[in-house]
Amino acid sequence: MTTTDRRVCEVFVELADTLAADFDILDYLDRLAARCTELLNVNACGVLLLDEGEVIDMVAASNEQAHLLDLAQLRDSEGPCLDAFRTGRPAQHADLASGDQPWPRFASAAVEAGYVAAHALPMRLRESTIGVVSLFNTDPALLDADLFELGKALVDTATIGIIAHRAIIRHEARTEQLQAALNTRVAIEQAKGILAQRLGISIEDAFGVLRSYSRVNNRRIAAVATEVISGRLKLPSTPHRHPSS
C-alpha cells in the first residue's frame, strides 16, 4: 500500500465517523472540504447543505474565495452547485474563461477569483439530495476519471454519514418524547392511586377529581399529578379553584 493509498483509507475512516457523542456537523464539513482539496488535486472546495427547513445554505469552505463563490451562486441562483443540487447529477466546466459556458455571472466571479475550472458533486442518497460539494481549480481542466470517482466516493461517504447522524438525532428526539409521555402516564396513575386511597373513592372517580381540578385551574394534569404525589397539593373529592387563582 502506498502512502497515498494509506491516506485515502484514513480519510474514509474519518468521514465515516459521524456517530460519536461529540460529533460537530460544522467541524465535520470543514474537514470534508479540506480533505477533498487535499486528495482531489483541486485548489479549493466548498460545501452547501440543506438545513432542517429545506433551505440550502453555504456551510463550509477550504478558503475564503470558495466561500464567496458559493455564496455568489446562492445569491445569483446560478452556478454548477445549483445545477447539481437541482438535477442530482454532477455539473462541471473545464474553462470558465471561455465564452462557451452556462453560468455567465458565476464564471465571471470565479475567473476574477483566480479559478477557471469548477466541479459540483451532489450529496445524494437514492432519491434524496441533501447538499453539494463544489471544487475549484486554477488550471483549465476537468478531474481525471480516477479523481472524479474518488471525489464521488468521498462525497457519498459524507452523505451517508450525515443522513445517519440526522436519523439518530430524530430517533433520540422521538425516544425522549415517548419517555416523557410514559413518565407523565406513570405520574398520573400514581396520583390516581393516592387520591383513591386518601378520599376513599374508586380509581375512576380519582381520575375525575384530578382531571376536574386541572381543568378548573387551567393547569396541566401531569403537573397536578406530580404535586399530589409529592404531597404539596391536597385535593378534596369535590374540585375547587387553586388557592393562588
Side-chain angles (χ1 to χ4, degrees):
M1 178 182 290
T2 67
T3 301
T4 299
D5 291 338
R6 187 177 297 108
R7 180 57 181 152
V8 169
C9 291
E10 290 172 352
V11 170
F12 274 110
V13 171
E14 179 184 13
L15 293 179
D17 185 17
T18 61
L19 304 182
D22 60 347
F23 177 76
D24 185 317
I25 183 66
L26 295 180
D27 175 68
Y28 179 81
L29 294 173
D30 279 336
R31 285 187 281 121
L32 172 63
R35 302 301 177 260
C36 285
T37 303
E38 173 191 350
L39 297 179
L40 301 181
N41 195 29
V42 296
N43 299 108
C45 175
V47 183
L48 286 81
L49 195 67
L50 200 66
D51 65 20
E52 296 296 335
E54 298 296 304
V55 176
I56 190 165
D57 199 3
M58 202 283 157
V59 291
S62 62
N63 62 25
E64 185 62 19
Q65 289 95 333
H67 175 86
L68 294 175
L69 284 177
D70 280 346
L71 286 179
Q73 293 186 72
L74 294 175
R75 181 194 64 216
D76 297 333
S77 298
E78 173 193 284
C81 280
L82 295 184
D83 281 7
F85 180 75
R86 291 164 181 156
T87 65
R89 297 189 298 273
Q92 53 188 340
H93 201 286
D95 190 0
L96 296 170
S98 69
D100 180 26
Q101 46 78 28
W103 315 294
R105 286 174 293 183
F106 166 76
S108 176
V111 171
E112 184 178 349
Y115 301 111
V116 293
H119 322 266
L121 302 176
M123 303 179 73
R124 184 175 178 85
L125 180 63
R126 301 183 183 89
E127 300 304 313
S128 177
T129 302
I130 65 168
V132 184
V133 172
S134 55
L135 307 170
F136 304 105
N137 234 332
T138 56
D139 296 324
L142 297 178
L143 295 176
D144 66 39
D146 289 340
L147 288 179
F148 183 77
E149 290 303 319
L150 175 58
K152 286 178 59 180
L154 290 171
V155 171
D156 287 348
T157 300
T159 302
I160 293 169
I162 291 169
I163 289 175
H165 176 69
R166 287 179 170 178
I168 288 173
I169 290 176
R170 287 192 292 268
H171 174 72
E172 289 176 347
R174 288 194 296 267
T175 300
E176 289 176 0
Q177 292 170 357
L178 176 59
Q179 188 59 53
L182 292 174
N183 291 342
T184 295
R185 175 50 55 188
V186 169
I188 291 172
E189 293 301 320
Q190 287 180 336
K192 284 162 57 177
I194 291 172
L195 288 174
Q197 183 180 34
R198 183 183 299 159
L199 301 176
I201 57 179
S202 68
I203 291 292
E204 182 178 354
D205 288 340
F207 181 65
V209 171
L210 195 65
R211 182 174 55 190
S212 295
Y213 184 89
S214 65
R215 288 177 177 175
V216 167
N217 291 275
N218 194 28
R219 299 186 63 196
R220 293 175 61 86
I221 192 170
V224 174
T226 299
E227 291 190 10
V228 169
I229 294 169
S230 67
R232 296 195 304 271
L233 181 62
K234 306 291 186 182
L235 294 186
S237 57
T238 302
H240 59 77
R241 288 194 172 275
H242 192 279
S244 62
S245 61

